[in-house]
């Protein structure tokens, strides 16, 4: 047995266990999605999970890497679940597979695999689909309670695998609300009507809103918040990033709202809509693609939050967490470089090169 | 007595590994039966020594057997009486796994002492005390083994002596036991060190997990009527690191690349202070030390007074060792694995840890870094261990240096928490040694270049001088010829002279043509 270098003891949570905790923590939010949006959520998750493992195994085999050990680190499953939870419930099966394939093969393995990928793979897959198929990717169902024709398991399967219902229904029919109109997500609805010149008050009159924010969506967000708090409490994710992102969202939304309550959505609506909580606790906190320094994590989170609101409000897509995360993923090396902590025995913080002396140089 | 009113400061990071102290801390320090054969490395951590005895010679206990030669090496004394059996190249108890010459001493069981005359530190001159500390071969017993006579001989003004009694490594209790049982002697050694340093302030830094030792030390301090501030610091690894303890006690940081003494602080470990007292008051050189022998594989764990040179295998036998997964000299956080139980106890040995299989998790498969930042959260030096790791791995040593790799104290806290099981400290040691090697190479290259340039200049100068000489000689001959007025012969003479000059030139220039790299002259 080769001699081992110190330390000879450890107290760590192995990567696989970290990932298992993340999976576990998605349960409340996933359950809420399932309750409000039906079987499609489950089918998307299963499709993503199955194909993520298959793609991962294939690529590992091609790269001549240990297959079983890597599959058991659960990282591919986490990517699958995060993407699966972000997809609209009736997305055609091949789009789902394309998304997860792109996430695993390109976003993860072409960069060198786990630990080497600069971008969050699930978000890369998501954005690829969103840009390529904007219509399908924004075609969310109304919450079951508001739907005129809630899709049964059989109908859902039919839609996902054939593109239409068992009796030839179109997706628009399934998306109809009780009032007969096609229903959008709370953010989408807000954006569209804002564009049409409606005032906030009038927009919020729609049945998609109710309670704290959007019907269904508020519970989904609260579910992810609950799971996220568990992860933060277990120190599995960096609470700084999550908190910073929520602060970024709140502050930016409040600023706009303060300027004109009639034209913009309230911070609360933003906090409990779309991918806010999923993003704050499960996506921005992906350690591999996030900033690593303490200060850097604050900047990273604040930036994502603020940018999310800006794109949601002024951009072309109703939600923006994925774009904001990817943009800040890109900024991570710079953020990390300029936020290095001051090292013991040094006057200046790390990035100020003035204090840097080579080993052996006289001071 | 002043109240314990030191304001404590916190150092960033740190970890709380399971302490495992009670296994060894509850029994008194015990003696061990004499080993038959002792092996005394002549190359200590601090430098080489020259043996002063012949093979076959009989030596007495405490006799000087090897002299420290280097600037920072310490003397070596016979730990017991016996016969010098030989000097052999053997593996040394050192993380490098190197071998070195070891003096083998066969004990005769007589234990006939040869002590030094006791000194009265109250009246003796400072230099006499320093000489004695050197003569007694005292080196820091906390692990770094720096010669004490050099540390205490400092002429820069020192205002604070810190007694390092933190003992923050898990499992190790030798300082704890020593304080509980021999507090008065430690305090006497402290007063001696304080006298030699001429400092005002003495602080005892001790972790709060050693209440019995704190009581014993407090009592000894009261009895001796000396002023020692007792700072009970919260238990957190690595509070016993020199830099960290200074930060806890003073709120100041040792500037990078400087030593505590540059801030007017000298730190001594309790074991060293005890050894200083023995050397001066009792005339005993450093020939033994207290070693914690512990781990689940040990039947009778505890602290033992062990002669230097005692093979670890002797310790294992005498304490009833069963099956162990590995042998570690030092603690689980910073100790190193011993390759061979036949290696001897040296001055730096504070602990022999023999964990039973499964007691300590062994290094598993190294997974990719997931940049979780757990390592940065626990680093007491506020480094970014994962970035250092990336740079070390990629061979980007300049970047590693820029990220302050050289300020890493190798405490192992980062690797202790890494979820990917990356042996981070191993990477840092490798990168540091690369950086040191490159620095030395650079030095050598600079040196070689200087020598090469100097040689070229010298050759150029010689050539010029030769030219001058020839010109002068030629002129002289011409003048001679002119003076004699032998105009007819003049031409012939000049020609002959020129020919001679040319021939000589050709002869001389050939071997003098510069050959780079073949310089053997300087
Ligand atoms: S603890 Fe290990 S896995 Fe986490 S950032 Fe540090 S080196 Fe990477
Ligand atoms: S070994 Fe070095 S990098 Fe790791 S925690 Fe200790 S000082 Fe920091």
């Amino acid at each position: 047995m080769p001699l081992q270098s110190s330390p000879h003891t450890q107290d760590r949570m192995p990567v696989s266990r970290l990932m298992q905790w993340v999976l576990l923590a998605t349960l409340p939010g996933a359950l809420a999605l399932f309750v409000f949006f039906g079987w499609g959520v489950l089918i998307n998750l299963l499709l993503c999970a199955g194909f993520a493992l298959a793609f991962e195994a294939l690529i590992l085999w091609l790269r001549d890497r240990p297959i079983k050990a890597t599959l058991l680190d659960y990282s591919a499953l986490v990517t699958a679940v995060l993407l699966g939870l972000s997809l609209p419930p009736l997305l055609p099966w091949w789009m789902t597979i394309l998304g997860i394939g792109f996430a695993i093969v390109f976003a993860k393995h072409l960069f060198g695999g786990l630990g080497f990928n600069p971008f969050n793979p699930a978000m890369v897959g998501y954005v690829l689909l969103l840009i390529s198929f904007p219509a399908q990717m924004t075609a969310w169902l109304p919450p079951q309670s508001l739907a005129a024709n809630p899709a049964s398991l059989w109908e859902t399967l039919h839609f996902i695998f054939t593109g239409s219902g068992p009796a030839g229904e179109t997706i628009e029919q399934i998306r109809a609300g009780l009032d007969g109109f096609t229903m959008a997500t709370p953010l989408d609805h807000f954006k569209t009507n804002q564009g049409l010149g409606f005032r906030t008050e009038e927009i919020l009159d729609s049945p998609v809103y109710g309670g704290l924010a959007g019907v269904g969506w508020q519970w989904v967000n609260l579910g992810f918040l609950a799971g996220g708090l568990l992860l933060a409490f277990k120190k599995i994710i960096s609470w700084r990033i999550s908190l910073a992102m929520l602060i970024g969202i709140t502050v930016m939304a409040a600023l706009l709202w303060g300027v004109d309550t009639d034209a913009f959505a309230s911070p609360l609506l933003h906090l409990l809509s779309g991918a806010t909580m999923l993003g704050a606790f499960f996506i921005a906190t992906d350690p591999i693609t996030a900033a690593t320094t303490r200060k850097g994590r604050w900047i990273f989170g604040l930036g994502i939050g603020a940018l999310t609101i800006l794109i949601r409000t002024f951009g072309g897509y109703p939600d923006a967490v994925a774009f904001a995360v990817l943009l800040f993923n890109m900024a991570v090396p710079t953020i990390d470089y300029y936020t290095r902590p001051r090292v013991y025995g040094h006057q200046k913080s790390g990035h100020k090169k003035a204090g840097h002396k080579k080993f052996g140089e006289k001071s | 007595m002043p109240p314990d009113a030191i304001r404590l400061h916190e150092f960033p990071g740190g970890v709380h590994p399971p302490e495992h102290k009670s296994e060894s801390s509850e029994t008194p320090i015990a003696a061990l039966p004499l080993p038959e054969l002792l092996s005394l490395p002549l190359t200590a951590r601090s430098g080489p020594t020259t043996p002063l005895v012949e093979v076959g010679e009989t030596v007495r206990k405490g006799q000087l057997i090897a002299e420290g030669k280097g600037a920072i090496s310490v003397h070596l004394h016979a730990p017991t009486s016996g016969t010098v059996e030989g000097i052999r190249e053997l593996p040394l108890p050192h993380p490098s796994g190197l071998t070195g010459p070891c003096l083998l001493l066969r004990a005769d069981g007589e234990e006939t002492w040869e002590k030094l005359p006791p000194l009265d530190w109250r009246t003796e001159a400072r230099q006499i005390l320093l000489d004695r500390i050197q003569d007694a071969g005292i080196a820091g017993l906390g692990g770094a083994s720096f010669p004490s006579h050099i540390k205490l001989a400092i002429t820069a003004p020192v205002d604070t002596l810190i007694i390092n009694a933190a003992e923050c490594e898990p499992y190790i209790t030798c300082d704890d036991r020593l304080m509980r049982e021999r507090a008065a002697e430690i305090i006497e050694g402290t007063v001696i060190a304080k006298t030699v340093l001429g400092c005002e302030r003495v602080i005892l830094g001790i972790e709060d997990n050693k209440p019995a030792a704190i009581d014993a030390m407090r009592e000894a301090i009261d009895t001796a009527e000396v002023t020692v501030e007792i700072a009970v610091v919260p238990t957190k690894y690595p509070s016993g690191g020199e830099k960290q303890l200074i930060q806890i006690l003073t709120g100041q940081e040792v500037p990078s690349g400087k030593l505590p003494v540059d801030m007017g602080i000298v730190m001594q470990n309790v074991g060293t202070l005890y050894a200083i007292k023995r050397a001066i008051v009792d005339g005993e050189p450093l020939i033994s030390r207290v070693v914690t022998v512990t781990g689940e594989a040990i039947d009778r764990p505890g602290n033992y007074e062990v002669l230097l040179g005692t093979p670890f295998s002797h310790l294992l036998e005498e304490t009833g060792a069963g099956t162990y997964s590995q042998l570690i000299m030092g603690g689980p956080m910073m100790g190193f694995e011993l390759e061979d139980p036949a290696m001897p106890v040296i001055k730096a040995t504070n602990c022999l840890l023999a964990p039973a299989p499964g007691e300590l998790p062994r290094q598993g498969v190294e997974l990719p870094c997931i940049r979780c930042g757990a390592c940065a959260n626990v680093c007491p030096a506020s480094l970014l261990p994962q970035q250092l790791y990336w740079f070390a791995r990629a061979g980007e040593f300049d970047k590693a240096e820029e990220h302050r790799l050289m300020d890493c104290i190798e405490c192992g806290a980062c690797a202790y928490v890494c979820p990917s099981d990356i042996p981070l400290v191993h990477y840092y040691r490798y990168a540091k040694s690369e950086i040191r090697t490159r620095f030395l190479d650079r030095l050598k290259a600079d040196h070689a270049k200087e020598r090469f340039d100097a040689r070229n200049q010298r050759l150029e100068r010689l050539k010029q001088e030769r030219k001058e000489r020839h010109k002068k000689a030629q002129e002289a001959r011409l003048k001679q010829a002119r003076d004699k007025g032998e105009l007819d012969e003049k031409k012939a003479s000049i020609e002959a002279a020129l020919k001679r000059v040319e021939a000589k030139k050709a002869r001389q220039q050939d071997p003098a043509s510069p050959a780079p790299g073949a310089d053997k002259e300087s």
Side-chain angles (χ1 to χ4, degrees), chain A residues 87-92 94-95 129 132-140 171:
Chain A
L87 298 176
L90 297 186
L91 194 71
W94 57 271
M95 288 188 195
L129 292 177
S132 318
F133 315 105
Q136 290 88 336
M137 281 296 285
T138 47
W140 272 84
I171 195 150

Side-chain angles (χ1 to χ4, degrees), chain B residues 338-381:
Chain B
L338 292 164
E339 217 165 332
D340 183 354
M343 289 177 180
V345 168
I346 55 173
K347 290 174 186 176
T349 310
N350 49 7
C351 178
L352 173 65
L353 175 56
E359 185 179 353
L360 294 178
R362 278 195 73 94
Q363 171 74 47
V365 188
E366 181 181 338
L367 296 173
C369 167
I370 55 164
R371 297 171 29 98
C372 64
C375 48
N377 288 342
V378 298
C379 177

